[in-house]
Amino acid sequence: MDLLILLLVLLMLPVFQPVSGKLRTKCPMNLEHQDGKNPPSYYRPGDHLISVVTTATLSSNITLPFNMAPSSQPHSLAASGSLSSGKFRMVRFIFAIHMANKNPELLNNLTLGYNIHDNSLSTLTTSDALLDMLSTGEANIPNYSCGKKDGLLTLLDAARRDIAIQMSTLVGTYKVPQISYLTASEALSDKSQFPFFHQMLPREGFQDPAIVPLLLHFRWTLIGLFASDTEKGENFMRTFTPMLARNGICVVISQRISMTRHPELLRDAIAKWRQVNVFVHFLEYVSISDRILPFHSTLEDLPGRIEGKVWITTNLGTYRLKKFSLLKYIHSIWSFSFQGKQRPKDDAFEPYLFVDDQYEDQYFRCSFSNRVFSVKGRRRCTQKASLETQQGRNNSRISNNINVHSIVKTLVHALNAAYSSRWRRRRKEGKESLGAPRLQPWQFHPFLEKNEFWNLSHFQLYLDQNGYVTADLDFGCVLILFKEDPIKLKLGSFERQRIIINQEALSRLKLLNKSLPQSKCVENCYPGFVKRAREGEPVCCYDCIRCPEGTISIKEDTDKCTKCPDDKYPNGDRVQCIPKFITFLSYEEYLGSILVSFALFFSLTTCFVLLIFIKYRETPIVKANNRDLSYILLVSLLLCFLSNFLFIGQPRKATCLLRQTLFSIIFSVAISSLLAKTITVVLAFLATKPGNRLKRWLGKNLANSIILSCSSVQIIICSIWLGVSPPFPDSDFLSQHGEIILQCNEGAVVMFYITLSYMGFLAAICFTVAFLARNLPGAFNETKLITFSMLVFCSVWMTFVPTYLSTKGKYMVAVQIFSILASSAGLLGCVFIPKCYIIILRPDLNSKEQLTTRRNVEM
């Protein structure tokens, strides 16, 4: 031990070394306060000791030169009179532990002691405090014991600045659990590196995502972003800027602010983006006024009218601002705070402390530390009298801290759980009569992991989906009024990732003529319009264009229009989807009624002609060219006219299956009958020539064979169609605007056109044969009539195909009905009307003599 002290003395002696040919004295660094304001350390013994490292005073940020005596160094901020307010920070911990010892229901036959250090926001002072905490002897030598046992249980980290990692690295080596009193760095969440660190509050920066929905709610899409020129400020910029971009918020003014000099704001950027009225500021280590005042000075230099600016800070807590009569360009300063919950009635927490000005002299015995290896001198104040809070005229009233009380309460619950577990284990082992050894810090550590601090906390804490502690937040603002004291307003809360706005506070802003400013590049795009980005500008600067056909937008500033469902269509303003009208060719509508009337008329006409032919069946003109073929043709035409009723009305499964197939087969039979008539005429004429053997082919068998063979081919085609892909009822949502067309889907459309092609093929053969035989002699030669009827038939169906393809919906069906009616009426009129004329109006021509005179051939 003596040898070690001797080595230290030798190291502290002046050392000379050559520099540039000269000998200079190398002065040792001495940070001992020369003004007597030594950092305090409060101590009280107990069964278990809670060490607290907090920041009660602030050391100077000025770099200290080493070429002058320590006494001439600039004084720290602690010497400027801020010590008394910092002392109250330490008093809160003392009274929280005192209230725990005072409550017999919390601790059973145990007392908690404390060892509270002030680190003055200095890493060097923090190291000294940690060495003092880990050392049990007079000297700050960890792991060296002179028989004295302090009973260290845990370390409570209540120090400002990012010193928690430094503390956790040191105390973690000795397996001392470290409890964070403040929000700590996210790096400390890594249990592999910091297994003994316990986070009692959410991670640092957990409140930053709450700013995004706040900006979106008030439609502040064009903002400025400031951050301190530190590692934390850089990390904030790196993580927060993409978060804003993902939500469509543009950062057009962005600057890192130096910690050692006044910020030099980008005046040109502010002048360019005058519409930016909201600024988010990552504030660290400096007051809000130190940042706003230079910013305000920059605004004063800008010409023209300047709207009040909103400052949103990432700090937790509210600001206490005095009257700012000069800040006429600042609208309000916003911040977040933990949302509290109702305190249990049996909680012994006292919201206020009343401390006498002579508190330290009355309750503590203070002396300077004589430890040889201590880096700096420290006043060690040991509690000498019991603490009691008394309300008196001369006492100072300070607000207590809920979080301190909650953490001490958590420690007490975890300590009781640890001793209960040890008692049960020793009882199971039959050692209940023996005294249990004192609980060591590493034995206390597992019970802190199991303890649910968020349940005991007075804040609204809970675990997020990743298992991290998070909290519900309140957000409010300090409203800056011209030549009046600022007003604090609670504007809302952020609960379970959902923002809740206090409408009464917003109404009060309007009454004070301080409505929230806008902060956007352009005006909103109204419903029915969509945003289109401008080339070369931020995404928040855009043009508004109307939604494309078939889409709507129901909100302002829509990025993408929404397509209406298939059964709906946009209204004129494209802000609402209206149900489409269901349409089909019905009997009730005008077009359907006309087509039905024509179908009935032609059907009745066909029936009338058929009755005439039946009544006058023995007359020569009816018997000519095979009256059975005439009957078949008339029945086929009647069925053709009646088949139109399958096309009118709402499509059903049965009608869809029958309409095209029946129409194709019936028309094939009709054309086959005409072809049989034409071939019969030709063969009958050729059979009259001497020596011609074709006479034996004449008769009913030939005609029936032609009809059956030609119709069978169409029946086979339709059977394949129905077997492979039959027609079915379908709905067309797209062809007509605002309409749902009920129609028959033809299934295999190719088969539909094959049936039409086959009918055209039969019609072409019939037309060709009839055209070649048109000049054959005979009074009742039908080939001329058949030629003309086939010409009408082919003309109708040749115009049908392009017309059918160019129409949609019910008009497509109407085109096919019209084609069926026109072609059938053409066949009926061209073939049978002349005969009916002779039968009814010119019966003198309907005689055998006329047939003999004109050399007509009877079949």
Side-chain angles (χ1 to χ4, degrees), residues 353-357 389-397:
L353 303 176
F354 296 90
V355 182
D356 189 271
D357 294 337
T389 59
Q390 296 179 358
Q391 300 184 23
R393 180 181 301 177
N394 297 326
N395 293 351
S396 298
R397 173 181 171 178

Side-chain angles (χ1 to χ4, degrees), residues 183 200-203 206-207 210 316 336-340 453-454 457-464 468-474 493-498:
T183 56
M200 296 300 182
L201 288 179
R203 296 177 298 171
F206 83 99
Q207 72 276 15
L316 287 172
F336 292 89
S337 61
F338 285 109
Q339 187 177 115
F453 168 74
W454 46 92
S457 175
H458 291 283
F459 299 138
Q460 292 286 1
L461 304 182
Y462 61 96
L463 295 180
D464 62 11
Y468 295 117
V469 180
T470 188
D472 291 337
L473 298 171
D474 290 329
S493 58
F494 189 72
E495 302 176 6
R496 298 302 194 273
Q497 311 302 313
R498 184 171 60 93

Side-chain angles (χ1 to χ4, degrees), residues 242-256:
M243 191 185 305
L244 295 172
R246 287 193 298 269
N247 288 274
I249 301 173
C250 300
V251 180
V252 294
I253 301 176
S254 178
Q255 186 176 14
R256 302 274 300 280

Side-chain angles (χ1 to χ4, degrees), residues 534-595:
R534 296 175 181 173
E535 186 177 356
E537 295 190 25
V539 295
C540 299
C541 300
Y542 47 81
D543 295 318
C544 298
I545 61 173
R546 184 167 288 277
C547 287
E549 185 70 29
T551 61
I552 64 167
S553 64
I554 60 177
K555 296 181 179 179
E556 293 183 349
D557 292 337
T558 303
D559 294 318
K560 185 179 181 182
C561 293
T562 305
K563 185 178 180 181
C564 286
D566 290 340
D567 59 343
K568 295 182 179 180
Y569 72 102
N571 63 348
D573 295 331
R574 299 184 186 177
V575 296
Q576 184 181 6
C577 289
I578 303 175
K580 291 182 178 179
F581 297 100
I582 296 177
T583 180
F584 55 89
L585 186 60
S586 64
Y587 293 98
E588 291 80 10
E589 62 180 298
Y590 186 70
L591 179 61
S593 301
I594 293 177
L595 294 175

Side-chain angles (χ1 to χ4, degrees), residues 379-440:
R379 290 185 298 115
R380 189 170 184 84
C381 300
T382 305
Q383 185 177 337
K384 66 179 180 179
S386 178
L387 298 177
E388 295 294 339
T389 59
Q390 296 179 358
Q391 300 184 23
R393 180 181 301 177
N394 297 326
N395 293 351
S396 298
R397 173 181 171 178
I398 59 174
S399 61
N400 206 341
N401 191 286
I402 299 177
N403 195 32
V404 172
H405 175 75
S406 300
I407 289 180
V408 173
K409 189 176 179 180
T410 300
L411 291 176
V412 170
H413 279 267
L415 187 62
N416 288 334
Y419 272 101
S420 297
S421 175
R422 287 163 61 88
W423 179 82
R424 287 194 300 267
R425 186 171 63 252
R426 291 181 64 82
R427 184 176 181 181
K428 186 177 180 180
E429 296 173 356
K431 301 178 181 180
E432 63 272 11
S433 60
L434 300 177
R438 180 175 299 187
L439 189 68
Q440 298 299 320

Side-chain angles (χ1 to χ4, degrees), residues 62 160 250 254 280 367 450 460 476 536 613 704 723 786 804 814:
I62 301 176
R160 295 166 59 186
C250 300
S254 178
V280 178
S367 61
K450 298 177 182 178
Q460 292 286 1
F613 268 60
N704 293 337
I786 294 174
Y804 182 82

Side-chain angles (χ1 to χ4, degrees), residues 476-495:
C477 74
V478 177
L479 191 65
I480 307 298
L481 300 176
F482 184 66
K483 294 184 179 180
E484 295 183 20
D485 291 332
I487 298 177
K488 290 185 178 181
L489 294 176
K490 179 184 176 182
L491 298 176
S493 58
F494 189 72
E495 302 176 6

